[in-house]
Amino acid sequence: MQDATTLKAYRAQLRDALDNDFQRQALDKFAVAYRASRANAFAGIDAPELIAEIAAAKDVAIDQLEELFAEFKRHAEAAGTKVHLAATAHEANEIIARIAKENGVKTIVKSKSMTAEETHLNDHLEGQGFEVTETDLGEWIIQLRHEGPTHMVMPAIHLSRYQVADLFSEVTNQKQEVDIQKLVKVARRELRPKFCQADMGISGANFAIAATGTIGIITNEGNGRLTTTLPRVHVALAGIDKLMPSLHDALRIIRCLPKNATGQAITSYVTWVTGAVPCEVGPEGKKVKHVVFLDNGRMAMAKDPEFKQVLRCIRCGACANVCPIYRLVGGHKYGHVYIGAIGLVATYFFHGREKAKNLVQNCLNCGACKAVCAAGIDLPTLIKEVHARIQDEEGHPAYSTAVGQVLKNRTLFHTMLKSARLLQKPITGGTPYLRHLPMFLFKDQEFRALPAIADEAFRDRWEKIKPRVTDAKLKVALFSGCVQDFIYPEQMEAAVTVMASKKGVAMEFPKGQSCCGLPLLMMGEKKAGRELAAHNMNAIDAQDFDYIVTMCASCASYLKHGYKRLFADDPAMTYKASQFAHRVIDFSSFVHDVLGISEADFAGPDKKVTYHAPCHLCRGMGVTEAPRALLREAGLDYLPAEEEDVCCGFGGSFSVKFPELSKELLGKKLANLKATGATAMATDCPGCIMQIRGGFEQEKTPFEVRHVAEYLAERLKRK
Amino acid sequence: MTTPPLVEQLTQKASLVSAVVRPVASMDEAMAYVADVCLGKEACQILASGCDAPLSDTAEALCQTKQEKIICAPEMPAEAMATLTALCDEKGISLITSGMRSRLGGIDIGLTMAVAGIAETGTVVVRSMSEEVRLASMVAEIHIAVLPASTIVADSYALEPQLVAWMGQPDYTAFVTGPSRTADIERVLALGVHGPLELHILILEDK
Ligand code: SF4
Ligand code: SF4
């Protein structure tokens, strides 16, 4: 449960989490195993199509929650269930406590409910003298330890068998062996009497079906079935977003949820309960049955065009499974109650700005969460949006506003870069890296060498190198992005050489272009980001060109997908942005798919090269084949690396804000690259190059790190 | 006789999740199987996996309530019951059809009729308005479900109209896929957390 009050305190907690070796290993193992088992579970199923269907159906439901509630209530009440709607977490807890009192309840068993975690229901009930026992094994373990879950589906994934054995020894007052099979049986037998004695069972509900007033619960352990059967009172607590029109909607989600959660085809149990069912110990032989729906801001969220998609979430936990940060620090430091990418967003809404403000900055914008989300939620964008809202509410930090002011003024920004070049001389020591970093600016950045600003920016070389084309077939605008313009102009030159090798490619470098604006989004400076986007769309008149080619994966994905979102509320600008976005293409796709460069164009000696897939290319742009095919066609011996598509830890300003995390991710990346046996690596993003090259330089490993364009250019047959 | 594709798929998928699947030619064969499994199984399988483990006093007390071998078969057809009763008498197994609430310490076998099977996931569908059915299939160490082959459908969508009709009144229906399981400690799979340690599906040739 993350609740640091300052970013500094949060960073200290993150460092502690990094020292938790058991958790690190457990989450590493899980991340790798999950990837394979998810793929396996979805074999033969069109997962993207299924996810799109779920998203569309959820969107329909979200627009009619009030009607669905009324319909559910009508059917459920006809079948003997009392239905309640709680406006707040406190109200939900009060309703449940009242039901308990009215029915003379003393002891309560619970099956898993994230919604009950959201409302801190146990604390509330225990405060009123009820005895509450969690019966899901993982939940029981963390309840006994007085802590929150570290994963939505596997709440105790952070604990070892030794810790559980110690805990169970304490609970039973008997020494327990460190044997998982036996420990599970101990839990079975310790919890069975709790079921027998309980007067009330509280469950969650994965589905609330309006057409019949039915709730659906999925579990593996079977505790859900006992919780809803043995006690005479059953209360189900569910977020109001769990309402859906029909059984079909639920069945569709079941096809996806367990597969996406843990790679399981279906959970052991799916339980459908409609109305007050027979119960021997209930009044008149029937169960006392209640369903409590929780609003807690959801109805308002359903009307917010940007954030309503949060309500699509089916709580599969996959967005944590694949998140590189979650993998490093675990759930207690990567969420408040809700964990992982969705936790970063949901915390702000359900548990407030204070709890969210540090958390929400801890995101690489790597898109891994979005790529697996069972409900197609654009999580990285929402995380940045929450960050921006918090800054708007709390006031922007001075450095953030200052960067915004500089970046949106191209002349000022570029003048500053050029004067920085003159000033850096004493600290480069004649190398392409900054030596003796000024510590006040670059605290904790020593884990990688940072590059120096180039002597001559690409924009100043352009006129000299511009290829003269007489018979133009394709008109191309080059978008360099700041890093290639000012730090790695040689990458741009290489790209120009490659593209010029095909006849009829007329290139322009519109000089008015500036930073793409992604850094501003990363810092929560949305307003300045909009101004910058508008500036670039003026500088490059899209209608004049067939393509806008960029060598930077991050710029490419931001220009293509980010700009449209920035102007969602402005139809004219949205149109302009889509005209622009339509033409944006990354270098590798342009060369491979459009120009059609092939093996015959290249020559050169054998060379082993591995590859790093930039987040913003493989997920942001959905481009995975083109760069790898180009390397092979250029005659290079491409050796795939492990976890090629896992983030290198750069994340723009992320690496400056959370150097301890960036360092760990970089370390993993370097190890995977080295393990291929190659001593050279290609990629499609200057940011990744900066990070990875800097990492190798720092540890003094000779390893060539270059842009795909550079490898192609050096192997191009001269004509 | 060749196995129909749905039966084959269900068998394969259920086996993947540790269910035991057997074809049976008749109800009599099914009942003989049930009695054999009961006789052949160890007195208390929890024993093998932890009855020697020391427990707190309340848990220990509940565990002591189960002494003899018990099958609970709450809602089986009369003919099958006649066969099973004879078999149980012969083998000294106690056969009950109700009173599960006084047997929460555990029974050996819970026997139920499945109303449908879902081939795609290897699932049996158990309709259990009766509390005895619910408890028998959860409290037993082994849950045996008899599944008529003709009720097997391709996927859950194919069952939708039937499910919706049931949900038109108070109803309690479960999809059961393999035995009760957990991976909550170190992601190591363990069977039999709160429910059965084993699930046996007897596919009854009824066509
Ligand atoms: S974008 Fe990447 S770092 Fe951010 S929450 Fe998603 S997976 Fe985690
Ligand atoms: S946000 Fe998506 S991936 Fe994350 S828990 Fe919800 S549905 Fe699953």
Side-chain angles (χ1 to χ4, degrees):
Chain A
M1 190 163 291
Q2 218 314 289
D3 51 9
T5 49
T6 63
L7 189 60
K8 199 167 159 215
Y10 181 41
R11 278 184 57 194
Q13 293 185 2
L14 292 173
R15 282 192 290 269
D16 283 347
L18 288 175
D19 289 339
N20 182 342
D21 291 335
F22 175 79
Q23 174 171 282
R24 292 277 298 268
Q25 277 168 20
L27 295 179
D28 265 345
K29 268 206 307 215
F30 175 53
V32 174
Y34 169 74
R35 203 174 306 138
S37 50
R38 179 184 190 265
N40 196 19
F42 277 114
I45 293 173
D46 186 346
E49 171 65 26
L50 179 59
I51 288 169
E53 281 177 21
I54 290 172
K58 283 294 263 182
D59 285 347
V60 170
I62 291 162
D63 282 338
Q64 32 174 301
L65 288 177
E66 271 165 52
E67 294 84 344
L68 291 173
F69 174 76
E71 194 187 345
F72 181 95
K73 189 174 162 84
R74 196 167 71 245
H75 288 111
E77 298 202 330
T81 302
K82 282 238 171 55
V83 181
H84 312 255
L85 177 57
T88 62
H90 181 76
E91 204 176 306
N93 293 345
E94 278 289 294
I95 291 172
I96 296 172
R98 199 173 63 231
I99 296 169
K101 274 183 211 133
E102 282 168 5
N103 288 281
V105 166
K106 288 197 182 63
T107 55
I108 299 171
V109 282
K110 266 184 74 207
S111 64
K112 202 165 152 52
S113 160
M114 274 314 291
T115 313
E117 297 278 355
E118 176 184 330
T119 67
H120 302 297
L121 176 62
N122 289 3
D123 293 346
H124 189 93
L125 293 174
E126 283 166 357
Q128 305 213 358
F130 299 103
E131 183 197 314
V132 188
T133 308
E134 293 286 352
T135 62
D136 172 87
L137 176 57
E139 290 283 339
W140 189 49
I141 292 171
I142 60 167
Q143 183 190 29
L144 293 171
R145 287 175 56 95
H146 307 288
E147 60 186 18
T150 50
H151 189 279
M152 288 205 276
V153 180
M154 294 164 291
I157 191 172
H158 59 299
L159 298 173
S160 72
R161 63 189 79 187
Y162 300 95
Q163 287 167 295
V164 176
D166 286 349
L167 183 69
F168 284 8
S169 300
E170 218 173 281
V171 170
T172 56
N173 268 320
Q174 309 270 5
K175 180 84 194 134
Q176 299 295 345
E177 270 178 71
V178 185
D179 173 331
I180 292 177
Q181 301 299 331
K182 287 188 180 171
L183 290 169
V184 169
K185 298 303 178 295
V186 169
R188 174 189 174 108
R189 293 165 70 214
E190 288 295 329
L191 288 168
R192 190 59 68 81
K194 302 284 184 194
F195 282 117
C196 302
Q197 290 150 7
D199 306 303
M200 178 160 133
I202 299 176
S203 73
N206 297 88
F207 319 104
I209 299 161
T212 51
T214 302
I215 60 162
I217 305 170
I218 60 178
T219 70
N220 274 316
E221 299 183 359
N223 58 325
R225 273 164 69 73
L226 289 176
T227 302
T228 55
T229 297
L230 282 169
R232 59 194 153 84
V233 184
H234 171 209
V235 181
L237 171 64
I240 194 158
D241 51 307
K242 293 291 169 280
L243 278 163
M244 48 197 70
S246 72
L247 176 66
H248 193 78
D249 298 299
L251 294 176
R252 188 191 295 112
I253 292 174
I254 292 172
R255 292 176 78 79
C256 185
L257 199 162
K259 295 186 183 78
N260 217 47
T262 55
Q264 201 183 358
I266 189 169
T267 48
S268 299
Y269 301 100
V270 179
T271 303
W272 306 104
V273 193
T274 313
V277 292
C279 175
E280 202 182 284
V281 292
E284 295 163 38
K286 274 195 201 155
K287 180 79 82 185
V288 177
K289 168 92 184 282
H290 294 260
V291 176
V292 180
F293 285 105
L294 176 66
D295 177 345
N296 208 19
R298 287 169 172 80
M299 296 304 273
M301 205 190 277
K303 299 201 171 65
D304 183 321
E306 229 149 2
F307 281 100
K308 63 195 274 192
Q309 46 173 325
V310 172
L311 298 175
R312 288 185 196 156
C313 174
I314 60 171
R315 309 273 184 260
C316 69
C319 54
N321 299 356
V322 297
C323 173
I325 308 287
Y326 173 81
R327 183 172 163 182
L328 285 179
V329 303
H332 283 157
K333 299 292 166 266
Y334 209 51
H336 182 64
V337 167
Y338 293 105
I339 286 153
I342 191 68
L344 267 50
V345 180
T347 299
Y348 171 71
F349 289 99
F350 298 142
H351 298 106
R353 189 168 73 209
E354 266 307 298
K355 305 275 187 296
K357 68 178 186 191
N358 297 313
L359 270 180
V360 81
Q361 302 183 50
N362 193 3
C363 168
L364 292 155
N365 197 29
C366 75
C369 48
K370 177 182 174 185
V372 292
C373 176
I377 305 172
D378 187 356
L379 293 155
T381 302
L382 295 185
I383 291 167
K384 293 300 155 208
E385 187 61 37
V386 169
H387 186 188
R389 284 200 189 186
I390 290 178
Q391 292 207 160
D392 287 348
E393 289 165 8
E394 290 208 325
H396 295 226
Y399 69 87
S400 177
T401 319
V403 172
Q405 290 305 324
V406 172
L407 278 188
K408 72 180 193 190
N409 181 340
R410 184 192 73 78
T411 331
L412 174 62
F413 175 44
H414 288 173
T415 311
M416 280 178 68
L417 281 171
K418 284 178 184 171
S419 24
R421 179 178 69 80
L422 297 174
L423 291 171
Q424 73 186 358
K425 279 274 142 65
I427 53 170
T428 59
T431 70
Y433 297 99
L434 303 180
R435 308 286 171 198
H436 335 290
L437 297 178
M439 284 314 293
F440 62 93
L441 247 180
F442 296 104
K443 202 166 162 340
D444 299 331
Q445 295 294 313
E446 315 83 355
F447 65 96
R448 51 169 181 194
L450 290 171
I453 295 171
D455 284 342
E456 195 179 17
F458 179 74
R459 58 179 57 242
D460 300 321
R461 301 183 187 188
W462 173 244
E463 283 309 323
K464 287 173 267 177
I465 64 156
K466 178 179 175 178
R468 311 289 148 189
V469 175
T470 41
D471 179 17
K473 291 200 196 74
L474 281 179
K475 290 180 74 186
V476 170
L478 301 175
F479 185 88
S480 68
C482 326
V483 180
Q484 281 173 328
D485 195 352
F486 289 92
I487 295 176
Y488 301 133
E490 67 277 11
Q491 295 173 7
M492 287 299 294
E493 284 191 43
V496 170
T497 309
V498 174
M499 292 189 277
S501 73
K502 287 279 160 185
K503 279 203 173 54
V505 184
M507 287 176 262
E508 279 301 332
F509 181 79
K511 284 266 176 72
Q513 63 181 276
S514 189
C515 170
C516 69
L518 181 61
L520 292 176
L521 186 84
M522 288 294 290
M523 298 174 75
E525 295 294 326
K526 200 177 169 190
K527 195 162 154 280
R530 263 170 78 115
E531 289 176 36
L532 197 48
H535 168 92
N536 279 326
M537 290 194 291
N538 277 334
I540 303 177
D541 189 355
Q543 315 279 3
D544 276 356
F545 299 98
D546 300 307
Y547 291 96
I548 300 168
V549 178
T550 168
M551 270 51 71
C552 170
S554 295
C555 298
S557 85
Y558 191 58
L559 297 179
K560 199 163 184 79
H561 305 296
Y563 276 21
K564 279 184 285 187
R565 279 194 298 261
L566 283 176
F567 300 103
D569 55 354
D570 180 340
M573 284 302 279
T574 301
Y575 177 73
K576 192 167 175 178
S578 42
Q579 287 289 312
F580 189 84
H582 182 65
R583 290 167 169 80
V584 171
I585 188 168
D586 64 283
F587 169 80
S588 285
S589 299
F590 181 70
V591 172
H592 187 262
D593 306 346
V594 180
L595 295 186
I597 279 191
S598 67
E599 276 171 50
D601 299 305
F602 298 104
D606 257 7
K607 181 171 182 171
K608 292 184 168 62
V609 177
T610 182
Y611 179 69
H612 162 68
C615 301
H616 293 159
L617 190 76
C618 66
R619 288 177 292 271
M621 297 289 282
V623 174
T624 54
E625 277 317 302
R628 292 172 170 107
L630 282 174
L631 294 177
R632 289 198 190 95
E633 280 158 14
L636 292 158
D637 183 7
Y638 159 52
L639 303 176
E642 286 295 321
E643 311 211 297
E644 228 167 46
D645 62 355
V646 173
C647 184
C648 64
F650 181 58
S653 54
F654 174 89
S655 61
V656 178
K657 218 176 248 174
F658 296 100
E660 48 283 278
L661 302 182
S662 181
K663 177 184 170 188
E664 294 295 323
L665 295 171
L666 177 58
K668 277 189 194 182
K669 180 53 75 179
L670 299 187
N672 284 330
L673 294 171
K674 284 186 280 192
T676 60
T679 52
M681 184 212 87
T683 191
D684 284 277
C685 182
C688 305
I689 291 177
M690 195 192 291
Q691 172 90 343
I692 296 171
R693 197 186 269 178
F696 279 127
E697 169 70 19
Q698 189 63 22
E699 62 169 48
K700 300 285 172 237
T701 303
F703 208 104
E704 182 182 87
V705 177
R706 299 172 82 189
H707 197 281
V708 170
E710 294 176 283
Y711 286 100
L712 300 187
E714 80 180 5
R715 301 174 75 86
L716 212 52
K717 279 189 197 155
R718 307 282 156 197
K719 291 187 182 141
Chain B
M1 199 188 101
T2 55
T3 324
L6 289 182
V7 171
E8 199 170 306
Q9 193 187 3
L10 184 133
T11 306
Q12 190 228 339
K13 294 292 181 185
S15 308
L16 280 179
V17 288
S18 326
V20 177
V21 190
R22 292 270 181 285
V24 289
S26 66
M27 237 346 176
D28 283 357
E29 189 185 329
M31 294 308 110
Y33 178 90
V34 173
D36 281 351
V37 169
C38 189
L39 209 61
K41 86 185 265 296
E42 289 176 59
C44 171
Q45 280 184 310
I46 302 291
L47 262 178
S49 40
C51 248
D52 46 340
L55 290 185
S56 65
D57 293 344
T58 14
E60 202 65 81
L62 184 66
C63 251
Q64 294 310 324
T65 59
K66 175 189 175 293
Q67 300 295 351
E68 49 192 342
K69 287 212 167 174
I70 309 168
I71 297 176
C72 179
E75 282 194 334
M76 294 299 289
E79 240 171 89
M81 282 310 282
T83 316
L84 189 59
T85 310
L87 286 167
C88 288
D89 283 350
E90 188 186 311
K91 301 184 189 220
I93 299 167
S94 135
L95 176 64
I96 58 172
T97 55
S98 62
M100 276 308 299
R101 274 189 184 264
S102 53
R103 306 275 183 182
L104 296 174
I107 59 167
D108 294 278
I109 292 181
L111 177 63
T112 63
M113 279 303 291
V115 287
I118 303 172
E120 187 184 45
T121 45
T123 301
V124 290
V125 181
V126 179
R127 216 181 155 205
S128 45
M129 268 303 269
S130 151
E131 209 177 60
E132 302 291 353
V133 174
R134 267 178 267 155
L135 292 175
S137 62
M138 286 308 291
V139 169
E141 288 172 15
I142 302 179
H143 173 201
I144 303 183
V146 179
L147 171 66
S150 62
T151 64
I152 302 176
V153 296
D155 56 26
S156 62
Y157 290 161
L159 213 57
E160 208 178 310
Q162 210 173 357
L163 286 165
V164 170
W166 292 335
M167 291 170 181
Q169 55 278 308
D171 182 69
Y172 195 114
T173 296
F175 294 178
V176 180
T177 313
S180 154
R181 65 183 56 221
T182 188
D184 272 352
I185 306 177
E186 293 192 16
R187 288 180 42 254
V188 172
L189 176 68
L191 299 180
V193 203
H194 293 296
L197 288 86
E198 294 177 25
L199 171 71
H200 296 217
I201 304 172
L202 304 180
I203 303 184
L204 179 66
E205 286 163 24
D206 60 343
K207 270 193 280 202

